[in-house]
Amino acid sequence: MGEYLLELRNITKRFPGVLALDKVELKVSPGEVHVIMGENGAGKSTLMKIVDGIYHPDEGEMRLYGAKTVIQSPMDAMRNGIAMIHQELNTVLDMTVSENIFLGREIGRGILYDKKAMKREAQNALQQLGLELDPNLKMRELSVAKRQMVEIAKAVSMKAKVIIMDEPTSAISDKEVDALFRVIGEFRSRGIGIVYISHKMDEIFRIADRITVMRDGKTVGTYEASHLTANELIAKMVGRSIEDVYPPKIPHELGEEILRVKALSSGSLFNGVDFSLRRGEILGIAGLMGAGRSELVETIFGLRRADSGEIYIGSSRLSIKSPRYAIRAGLAFVTEDRAQSGLNLKTTVKKDMSILTLKQFCRWGQVINSRKENEGVDQRIRQLNIKTPSRNQGIRNLSGGNQQKVIIARWLMSNPQILIMDEPTRGIDVGAKYEIYSIMRELAAGGKAILMISSELPEILGICDRTLVMHEGRITGVLKKNEMTQEAIMKYATGLGENIEDAK
């Protein structure tokens, strides 16, 4: 066996109108955590999909365990000892946890699978991650965070020699991150090579041995993690230094109250929630996993039914029975899971962006005026600086940050008054985050009201005007800008205090 578990030489990949990878190099040693960093669109995920057999390179070669290897498919990668945890979850929602973990490599022969053995092995993999989860549960019964942990458990159960983790912590709690890092430490001690993609700087410097930086589809260089600072790493990623992580606030006065929620409750998910939102305000919702944040905004948008309570837009009380009613009332909703509920990955930028507002581009209410549709889409592409070769590019070929901007553009075309954003920067890099924050600042300065959920406390502190903190389905704290600190938010998020006077 050669010195490296995995070696990529001069890997080049082209898509229509895009040179996605240009002679990329990567070498991963046994027992190494090798982090790949770069802005969205740098080519990180594309490179890993080549290793996993989803894409095939146009040029270059791969070596596994010192031997030249051609990976034809993900199943082929699996047979060669490669496991990949994808950023966009690939779970089968109507199958059980254990069935997902062993999908494609079931224990047994033909249709006579040994379900007891699969359940036992699945339970063992979950326990290694410190996760108490019934293997018989259907995947659709789990939160996004739990589905992410099941994907990680799948890799644990495979006993692979090379494990690729593409944003594995983007939707999981700090406790689950700690469990994952313990498992990564065990992998390292067994000589397993880990390729790790993340945009979270604190994670990178906790676990990385070496870091390869990519930019615009090329390899910038490979560095010892201990020899880099966070600022040096960012500069290598973006090709420039970023002085401030958050754009400056655009001076503007807050307008009148646009959203009022009174005593809103939904079963055991959340209870007695009261708050208001003003025009021009960015209002954060913070809390630990399971606090009821996503369930609250899903109810406001009509994705869930409330048991009791009232919702007002301006002075009008609304009965939001479905998202259609919410959209008509001037609400928009950027969901936390781009792949599952945010985008149609089988369509183009143009079709995805204009789907909500086709009536705007119709002649006589029936025939689509393609020229007007193209103009409307192109205007939003320019406004949000969406990096795409054309409006007809496939959505799945865009980076995560640009996909997120397409979702925001689609909602802006409906001219909403209130924009609900659930984890709007999940899984995107520091440069793309800055652009999303800038868009939010501009929208707020223009009079839009934004309700934002984030699990990243620095993001809450950096972008929000006020913050609601939830604990076990209740608002336990409402913090003004000058009161917002990580310590204060965690105090209310863990139920150690209560301050809700300003919610009303």
Side-chain angles (χ1 to χ4, degrees), residues 8-61:
L8 304 178
R9 300 179 178 178
N10 295 314
I11 298 294
T12 298
K13 179 64 181 176
R14 299 178 182 87
F15 295 109
V18 179
L19 179 59
L21 298 173
D22 186 7
K23 295 181 171 56
V24 174
E25 302 273 334
L26 180 70
K27 297 176 181 178
V28 181
S29 300
E32 176 186 23
V33 178
H34 195 121
V35 171
I36 303 180
M37 295 289 286
E39 292 190 89
N40 282 95
K44 308 180 300 295
S45 293
T46 300
L47 184 66
M48 291 303 98
K49 286 177 180 177
I50 285 175
V51 177
D52 197 42
I54 297 171
Y55 297 150
H56 301 135
D58 297 314
E59 299 172 24
E61 70 176 36

Side-chain angles (χ1 to χ4, degrees), residues 169-187:
T169 65
S170 59
I172 64 178
S173 69
D174 290 344
K175 180 180 178 181
E176 290 161 336
V177 170
D178 290 340
L180 172 62
F181 285 2
R182 284 196 298 272
V183 172
I184 288 176
E186 292 177 15
F187 288 159

